[in-house]
Amino acid sequence: MKKIIVATCNKDKIKEIREILAGDGIEYLSLEDAGLRGINIIENGSTFEENAIIKAKTVSEATGLMVLADDSGLEVDYLKGAPGIYSARYMGEDTPYTIKNNYIIEQLKDAEGDERSARFVCAIACVFPGGRVITTEGKVEGLIAYEEKGEYGFGYDPVFYLPEKGCTTAQLKPEEKNLLSHRGRALRAMHKKLTEERIL
C-alpha cells in the first residue's frame, strides 16, 4: 500500500482526511505515525496557502518524500477576518475550543443576520522531492451561531451555522459534513489533480 505523509499532529484532522479520502488505497500518515513529531515547522506565512506550503516543504525537505499539508481556519467578517490564519493559535494554542467559541459568540453579541457571516477556508499543499508544489483551496460559507451546538466535528464546528442545513457543522454526521466541508472540497480537488497527473 502506498503511504503519504500529512504534515500534521492533529488527530482529528488526520482522521477527517482519512475519512474524506477513504477507498483510494493509500495510507495517510500523520507526523506522529511517521515518527516525525519533533520536526520544527515555523508557520510564518500570511495566508492559508503559504502556511500549507511551509508545512509540506519543511517535512518534504527533511524526509525526501512527497508530503501533503493542510492549513485551515475560520474567518469571521464582523471580526475583520479573525481568527483567520491564527485559528489554531487564537487565544493560545492550549485554550479549549469551547472557550474560543464562546468568546467569538460574545464578540458578536450585537451582530444580527448577515453581520454574522463567516467562512471556513482550507488550503492543501502537495510538495514533491525536488520542491515542486501543487495547491488547492476549499471554502464553505456560513454564519456564526448564537450558541454552541452539536456533538460531532471539532474546533469551531459547534459555532459554524449552515443556513441551507439549518444546523451547525458539529450537528452534521461526519460523512455528511465531509461532503460539503472546506477540507473535503480542497482534498477532493487535490486528489483529482494528483490522479490526473497519475501520481496516485
Side-chain angles (χ1 to χ4, degrees):
M1 179 182 282
K2 185 170 185 175
K3 297 180 180 182
I4 294 177
I5 296 173
V6 182
T8 186
C9 287
N10 184 318
K11 290 178 181 176
D12 291 316
K13 189 176 283 189
I14 194 72
K15 179 174 180 286
E16 194 167 275
I17 289 168
R18 287 170 179 154
E19 288 170 352
I20 291 166
L21 298 177
D24 67 359
I26 294 167
E27 185 180 357
Y28 294 93
L29 304 175
S30 69
L31 293 178
E32 194 163 12
D33 297 329
L36 298 166
R37 187 176 179 86
I39 199 163
N40 186 31
I41 300 173
I42 301 168
E43 293 181 50
N44 55 5
S46 59
T47 65
F48 292 111
E49 181 179 85
E50 285 178 10
N51 279 331
I53 292 170
I54 288 166
K55 293 179 198 179
K57 269 193 171 176
T58 301
V59 178
S60 182
E61 287 168 1
T63 62
L65 302 171
M66 173 179 140
V67 176
L68 281 178
D70 146 302
D71 197 60
S72 51
L74 176 68
E75 295 179 340
V76 181
D77 292 326
Y78 195 81
L79 302 180
K80 297 182 172 60
I85 60 168
Y86 304 106
S87 291
R89 292 164 276 173
Y90 194 53
M91 299 178 69
E93 265 186 79
D94 296 327
T95 302
Y97 273 93
T98 190
I99 292 175
K100 297 182 187 188
N101 287 335
N102 282 290
Y103 176 79
I104 289 172
I105 290 168
E106 175 62 22
Q107 294 301 298
L108 270 67
K109 64 181 186 294
D110 297 324
E112 297 291 337
D114 290 344
E115 290 181 321
R116 304 182 74 85
S117 60
R119 70 202 51 78
F120 272 133
V121 182
C122 175
I124 301 286
C126 181
V127 172
F128 300 88
R132 182 176 169 231
V133 177
I134 297 176
T135 62
T136 57
E137 185 179 76
K139 292 183 181 181
V140 58
E141 299 286 338
L143 302 169
I144 297 301
Y146 290 91
E147 61 181 325
E148 284 190 299
K149 282 188 178 178
E151 59 191 64
Y152 302 106
F154 60 97
Y156 297 102
D157 284 333
V159 294
F160 190 76
Y161 180 81
L162 296 166
E164 69 272 25
K165 292 290 183 180
C167 66
T168 69
T169 45
Q171 290 174 289
L172 295 174
K173 289 188 176 177
E175 57 271 22
E176 190 175 3
K177 176 194 165 188
N178 290 342
L179 285 174
L180 54 82
S181 75
H182 55 311
R183 187 167 293 111
R185 290 172 178 177
L187 277 169
R188 283 189 292 272
M190 177 60 72
H191 197 271
K192 184 171 184 284
K193 282 189 177 184
L194 295 177
T195 302
E196 286 171 352
E197 293 196 22
R198 298 188 178 180
I199 293 160
L200 297 183

